[in-house]
Structures are given as structure tokens and as C-alpha cells.
Amino acid sequence: MFIEQGIKKNNEFWKYILGCILIIIASTLGQLPLGIVVAFKSFKSGKTLSNTNDAINLLDSNLSLFLIMLSFVFGFFGLVLVVKYFHKQNLLDVTTSRKKVDWKRVFFSFSLWAIFIVVSTFATYYFSLGELVWNFKPIPFAILFVIATLLIPIQTSVEEYVFRGYLMQGFANLAKNKWFPLVMTSLIFGSMHILNPEVDEMGYLVLVYYIGTGLFLGILTLMDEGMELSLGFHAANNLITALLVTSDWTALRTNSIFKDTSKPGGLMEIFIPVLVIYPILLFIFSKKYQWKNWKEKLTGKIVEENNIITEPHV
């Protein structure tokens, strides 16, 4: 079973706290190039910068995307080193319970969500009354496509490995059940987005969307006994969105095909995905992969006896 793979006597919870600190340090090192470039640009322009977003806005959007994504490359290597040398596990242990990664699951989840984003975006463009405007510029978009395709899947994978893999198993070590890791990773995942510019524009209520997304991805992971579906979904969500739509109030501002000129703040944008779309997706995945024992997989206890992990029926 996936979540039990991290439950070992030498995997005390303090190791996960220290491991997260080491991963954050690695990611911070990856932010140094961005800091250097922004400092040079701000010095050259002579502008006073009030926040990080103002600093990033000084840069070309493709350059800023590249520099932002670099921190996740460093974070990924930090994660691999922590898992291998600190917890004596391999990356497969925090990826899936299967003998190898099921790439068909990754690509199915990616394709399903990518198709939804593409169809809904073009439908919005057609019916948006001018709020979604054409923004396509061939050369900047081609550069964006290369950067995004290479680096955004790394960014989304790092987030999935940290929250749905590493910390999911870490909290299982602490609580010896499944509901606590699911709730805690969802809350932390949502809270990590609190500095996003969307929060400034839409208020703290938008965190419901982020926490709900974390909960959805956690359910995918626990029910499917691996991260393949969450990896595919998250990659499609960030990559296809970055290529299709940008705005002046989102975390990633890109040379995308469309630009959203509307003002944020609609409750529909927050609650429709969480209350309608995600349950539909869970239904589709559950039918395709024949999920059973929902209560046990999402809330069941993990009992350790004589170093053997067993899972009682609830």
C-alpha cells in the first residue's frame, strides 16, 4: 500500500520536518539567479520596488518564468537527496505502490484535464464578450512553449512529491491513520498559495479553491495507491493554463494565446471546481480504475505490529 511504504521505525516525524527544511534550502538556492537578475534590473532602472511581484514585472515574462522555475529544479534534486540519504528510500517509494510508475495513468489524467481546459477556454473566448482577448505572438509563444514544456512539469511534480508523496507518508508515520495526512497535506498545500497575487485580488476565500484542490489530489493519491493521477492532473493544469491564458493578477504571467482582462472575484470560480468539477473527475477515475473501499482508504487506521503494517477494516 502506498502510504504505508514510508512507515519505518527509523522514519521519525522530526526527520520529515528537517527534510522539508533541507528541500526549502535547496529551492532557495535555486532562487539566487532570479534575485541577482532582479537586483541588476532594479538598480539599472532606478525604480523602488514595493514587493516581489513588482520586481518580477521588470523582467521579460519568459525570462521570469525560466528563473522562477529554476528553484523547482533545485528543489527536485534536494527532494531526491533527502529521500535517498535521509530516509533510505528510493523515489519510487514516494511515487507509487506499483512496481514501476504507471505512465498510462499519468497521461490519461493529463489528457483528460488538458482537454477540459482547452475546450472550456475556447468556449469562454467565444462567449466572453471581449473579456478574453487574443494575445498570440509567434516568437514569444514559441519560447514560452519550450520553457514551459521543459520546466513546468518539474514544478508541478516537485509540489506533488512534497505534498502527496513525502509529507503524506510523513504524517502517516506520525498519526498512523489516513485521514490526518489527507487533511494536513491539503491545508498546508492551500496555505502555501497565500502569497499568490490571486489572494490579493480575490481575498482569502480563494484559499478554499487551493485547499479543495489539495484535497482532491490527496484523494486521488490514496484511492489509486500512487501519485500518477495527481502528477498528470497537476502538470496539465499548470502547463496548459500557462500556454493558453494569462492575466495581470495571476502568479505566472506568460506570453500565452489569450489574455484575461476581466476582474477576478467571482464565487463561481472558487466553488464550481471544488463542488462540481472535482467530484465528476473522481467519479470518472473511480469507474475507470474500479476503486473500492473508499472509507477504509481515506480514513482507515494503520496498525504496526512486529514491523508488519496491517490495515484493519473500519
Side-chain angles (χ1 to χ4, degrees), residues 27-42 49 52-53 55-72 74:
S27 298
T28 303
L29 291 175
Q31 293 176 359
L32 290 178
L34 174 63
I36 293 171
V37 172
V38 166
F40 175 77
K41 283 281 188 178
S42 60
L49 306 175
T52 303
N53 289 325
I56 292 175
N57 287 338
L58 289 175
L59 308 179
D60 171 78
S61 62
N62 283 331
L63 176 60
S64 65
L65 177 64
F66 174 77
L67 292 172
I68 290 170
M69 292 297 109
L70 270 184
S71 67
F72 292 95
F74 279 71

Side-chain angles (χ1 to χ4, degrees), residues 12-312:
E12 295 92 344
F13 187 67
W14 66 265
K15 286 190 174 183
Y16 288 91
I17 297 176
L18 182 56
C20 286
I21 293 173
L22 294 174
I23 294 169
I24 291 171
I25 290 173
S27 298
T28 303
L29 291 175
Q31 293 176 359
L32 290 178
L34 174 63
I36 293 171
V37 172
V38 166
F40 175 77
K41 283 281 188 178
S42 60
F43 175 77
K44 189 175 179 181
S45 67
K47 293 182 178 180
T48 301
L49 306 175
S50 59
N51 54 52
T52 303
N53 289 325
D54 286 344
I56 292 175
N57 287 338
L58 289 175
L59 308 179
D60 171 78
S61 62
N62 283 331
L63 176 60
S64 65
L65 177 64
F66 174 77
L67 292 172
I68 290 170
M69 292 297 109
L70 270 184
S71 67
F72 292 95
V73 176
F74 279 71
F76 179 76
F77 283 112
L79 172 71
V80 172
L81 293 175
V82 165
V83 170
K84 182 176 181 179
Y85 294 106
F86 207 48
H87 295 277
K88 309 301 180 183
Q89 294 176 274
N90 56 56
L91 201 59
L92 186 65
D93 292 332
V94 292
T95 306
T96 184
S97 60
R98 286 167 271 275
K99 293 183 179 179
K100 59 181 181 180
V101 175
D102 187 345
W103 289 103
K104 289 183 179 180
R105 275 174 154 84
V106 177
F107 292 128
F108 175 75
S109 181
F110 181 96
S111 300
L112 180 64
W113 192 236
I115 291 171
F116 176 84
I117 294 174
V118 171
V119 171
S120 61
T121 299
F122 277 91
T124 301
Y125 175 66
Y126 185 78
F127 295 107
S128 68
L129 302 176
E131 291 182 342
L132 202 62
V133 299
W134 191 256
N135 189 57
F136 180 72
K137 298 174 184 176
I139 295 178
F141 179 80
I143 297 172
L144 166 66
F145 184 85
V146 173
I147 295 172
T149 303
L150 291 176
L151 295 181
I152 287 182
I154 295 176
Q155 175 244 323
T156 57
S157 295
V158 168
E159 292 187 6
E160 287 309 300
Y161 272 108
V162 169
F163 290 102
R164 257 63 66 179
Y166 185 68
L167 280 179
M168 187 78 82
Q169 293 182 355
F171 282 116
N173 270 281
L174 176 67
K176 297 299 187 292
N177 63 41
K178 296 182 178 181
W179 68 265
F180 186 76
L182 176 60
V183 171
M184 288 302 298
T185 54
S186 302
L187 289 174
I188 297 172
F189 177 76
S191 300
M192 290 292 288
H193 293 81
I194 199 168
L195 296 179
N196 281 20
E198 294 94 327
V199 177
D200 292 333
E201 295 291 336
M202 302 176 71
Y204 290 109
L205 191 62
V206 74
L207 293 179
V208 171
Y209 166 75
Y210 291 117
I211 294 172
T213 300
L215 186 64
F216 165 69
L217 294 170
I219 292 172
L220 284 185
T221 301
L222 290 179
M223 290 304 303
D224 203 50
E225 298 291 355
M227 291 200 310
E228 289 96 337
L229 297 179
S230 65
L231 285 168
F233 176 92
H234 203 158
N237 187 73
N238 289 28
L239 174 59
I240 304 304
T241 300
L243 294 175
L244 282 182
V245 184
T246 190
S247 74
D248 292 331
W249 47 268
T250 55
L252 294 179
R253 298 163 196 178
T254 63
N255 290 297
S256 57
I257 295 175
F258 300 106
K259 184 173 182 178
D260 186 358
T261 60
S262 65
K263 293 184 178 180
L267 293 179
M268 298 284 284
E269 299 173 14
I270 297 172
F271 289 102
I272 289 297
V274 175
L275 298 179
V276 178
I277 298 175
Y278 291 165
I280 292 174
L281 289 174
L282 286 173
F283 177 78
I284 293 172
F285 287 129
S286 68
K287 292 300 180 182
K288 180 173 178 60
Y289 298 111
Q290 300 179 348
W291 292 345
K292 298 178 181 179
N293 302 324
W294 286 69
K295 183 178 180 181
E296 183 176 325
K297 286 191 173 183
L298 298 180
T299 66
K301 293 182 178 180
I302 301 170
V303 180
E304 186 176 9
E305 296 179 356
N306 298 324
N307 297 327
I308 299 176
I309 303 298
T310 60
E311 186 179 338

